Amino acid sequence: MLPSGCAMKEEMLSKKRAKAKLYTRYPLSSLLIYNGTTILHFLLGGIGIILGYNFSSWAGYLFGALYLAFSFVEMYVMMPLTVCPHCVYYRMKNSLCISGLNVISKKIAKEGDPKDFPKRGEGLFCNNNLYLAALVVPIIAMIPALILNFSFFLLAILLAVVGLLLFRFFVIFPKVACLHCSAKYKCPQAGAMGVRNM
Ligand code: SF4
């Protein structure tokens, strides 16, 4: 099956404007770095919340489980259902985006409208804000937990999660993911990262 005219036009336009190589299929190493960092961030965040509030018989497990459910559902269910169908990777033949979620999206969601892709960054509860919340919530939750229930192990988890967040913002987004993304001319996050003219 050939890619739709719209997807081909977007791809050609992107290639013309870009200096950095735009990927139709990201290398497997990029996918592993992106998803490995994401999953590690969520797991360490959940463990940190559970350990940080373990002075209560229920609070740590409840908040930790809620956080883990929220972060994984937001990233691996809501994203392919609500954001990916509008993305150029959904429509490009044999494509593989940085998260690989375009492949899942094709199996579980109908093709969307490219014009709706920037909506991922519009409104208080937009996908971009929920994604950011999934990354930042464990850091915010672990700070009071450290004051109430200090341990060096918890401190190490907090520092590791902060490190993963900084690695994502200063290495993964600008150098591995958004820089090479064929959706970067429409994606609000790429605009914020300043990688459109690179
Ligand atoms: S530009 Fe970055 S955030 Fe936007 S779709 Fe591409 S990889 Fe994802």
Side-chain angles (χ1 to χ4, degrees):
M1 200 177 85
L2 287 169
S4 70
C6 189
M8 277 176 70
K9 238 192 259 167
E10 271 179 41
E11 217 183 331
M12 280 165 59
L13 205 62
S14 300
K15 275 182 183 156
K16 223 174 164 184
R17 284 182 293 196
K19 290 176 192 127
K21 183 175 165 54
L22 295 185
Y23 292 138
T24 299
R25 284 185 72 82
Y26 275 84
L28 189 61
S29 57
S30 301
L31 244 84
L32 291 176
I33 291 171
Y34 183 85
N35 285 305
T37 307
T38 304
I39 291 169
L40 191 62
H41 191 120
F42 294 164
L43 289 179
L44 284 178
I47 292 169
I49 294 172
I50 292 170
L51 290 179
Y53 293 88
N54 68 359
F55 52 85
S56 155
S57 58
W58 57 270
Y61 287 111
L62 177 67
F63 295 146
L66 283 175
Y67 167 71
L68 285 170
F70 165 71
S71 56
F72 277 100
V73 168
E74 193 285 325
M75 177 74 200
Y76 292 103
V77 179
M78 294 310 293
M79 190 88 86
L81 279 176
T82 62
V83 176
C84 303
H86 309 303
C87 178
V88 65
Y89 281 93
Y90 186 103
R91 300 183 301 282
M92 285 192 297
K93 194 188 170 204
N94 197 27
S95 61
L96 189 64
C97 73
I98 183 66
S99 62
L101 288 176
N102 69 311
V103 177
I104 297 175
S105 181
K106 275 191 135 162
K107 293 191 195 310
I108 64 172
K110 277 196 199 148
E111 184 174 334
D113 187 339
K115 286 205 278 310
D116 288 336
F117 188 64
K119 285 187 184 162
R120 62 178 295 177
E122 292 170 11
L124 185 61
F125 294 104
C126 66
N127 191 275
N128 279 12
N129 287 350
L130 296 178
Y131 176 81
L132 203 60
L135 298 172
V136 171
V137 159
I139 296 171
I140 294 171
M142 276 188 269
I143 292 171
L146 262 181
I147 297 166
L148 297 168
N149 190 20
F150 181 85
S151 77
F152 283 108
F153 189 53
L154 185 59
L155 180 62
I157 293 177
L158 174 64
L159 293 177
V161 175
V162 170
L164 287 169
L165 186 72
L166 296 177
F167 180 64
R168 177 178 298 268
F169 277 100
F170 291 106
V171 180
I172 295 186
F173 283 150
K175 292 184 166 48
V176 180
C178 305
L179 180 66
H180 300 289
C181 181
S182 296
K184 71 179 181 181
Y185 297 104
K186 292 212 165 175
C187 179
Q189 194 160 294
M193 288 280 148
V195 295
R196 285 186 178 156
N197 295 318
M198 296 171 85

